């Protein structure tokens, strides 16, 4: 990977929005000469209260890492995926993305992830990242494509 100052961090959660964000991050990194780090976060169920066990018996890190790899390969193809560093990090998505993006050229996230309310225009993770990141944040809608000329088409 290139110089740490030219690192583009992108949040991946399996949503169409995060896939569009990944494509945008790769194109941006190509323009700036930077590298892309695709980050997925996972939280144990006990993070929301005291009633759940300390270990999530349904979580398998190997399966989750394979899922992240598969998503990146699905979106970018084999050669594109080889150019992206992939990280699965335990923690709340906002905290993980903000931490991973410290010192980055940009943080790229989708406008809506897998959770939340259907009527909201901006997901809570993207909103919190926009408010608290120490680097520029790009929020990409899932139905927007960047063309070869750099313009957006819906």
């Amino acid at each position: 990977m290139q110089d740490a100052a030219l690192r583009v961090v992108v949040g991946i959660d399996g949503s169409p929005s995060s896939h569009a964000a990944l494509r945008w991050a790769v194109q941006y990194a190509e323009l700036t000469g930077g590298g892309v780090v695709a980050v997925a976060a996972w939280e144990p169920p006990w993070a929301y209260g005291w009633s759940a066990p300390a270990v999530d018996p349904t979580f398998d890190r190997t399966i989750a890492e394979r899922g992240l790899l598969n998503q990146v390969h699905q979106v970018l193809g084999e050669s594109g995926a080889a150019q992206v560093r992939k990280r699965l990090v335990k923690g709340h998505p906002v905290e993980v993305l903000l931490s991973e993006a410290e010192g980055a050229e940009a943080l790229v996230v989708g406008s809506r992830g897998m959770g939340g309310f259907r009527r909201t225009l901006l997901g809570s993770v993207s909103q919190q990242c926009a408010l608290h990141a120490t680097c520029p944040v790009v929020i990409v809608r899932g139905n927007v494509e960047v063309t070869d000329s750099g313009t957006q088409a819906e």
Side-chain angles (χ1 to χ4, degrees), residues 83-96:
Q83 304 301 315
V84 175
R85 186 169 160 229
K86 299 142 201 89
R87 292 192 28 84
L88 176 66
V89 182
K90 180 180 172 184
H92 186 277
V94 172
E95 293 170 1
V96 166

Side-chain angles (χ1 to χ4, degrees), residues 41-125:
W42 68 276
E43 280 188 293
W46 52 267
Y48 297 107
W50 296 99
S51 61
V55 176
D56 181 359
T58 64
F59 181 78
D60 183 323
R61 184 172 187 91
T62 303
I63 292 173
E65 287 173 339
R66 194 174 315 126
L68 174 59
L69 289 170
N70 289 341
Q71 282 185 64
V72 174
H73 281 92
Q74 174 190 356
V75 174
L76 302 176
E78 190 68 36
S79 62
Q83 304 301 315
V84 175
R85 186 169 160 229
K86 299 142 201 89
R87 292 192 28 84
L88 176 66
V89 182
K90 180 180 172 184
H92 186 277
V94 172
E95 293 170 1
V96 166
L97 291 171
L98 292 176
S99 175
E100 292 288 322
E102 286 183 20
E105 176 78 9
L107 171 60
V108 185
V109 293
S111 62
R112 291 205 14 87
M114 297 300 284
F117 300 100
R118 289 188 182 270
R119 287 176 282 174
T120 59
L121 297 175
L122 190 63
S124 60
V125 171

Side-chain angles (χ1 to χ4, degrees), residues 114-140:
M114 297 300 284
F117 300 100
R118 289 188 182 270
R119 287 176 282 174
T120 59
L121 297 175
L122 190 63
S124 60
V125 171
S126 56
Q127 183 177 33
Q128 290 302 306
C129 286
L131 290 171
H132 300 290
T134 57
C135 65
V137 176
V138 177
I139 301 172
V140 180

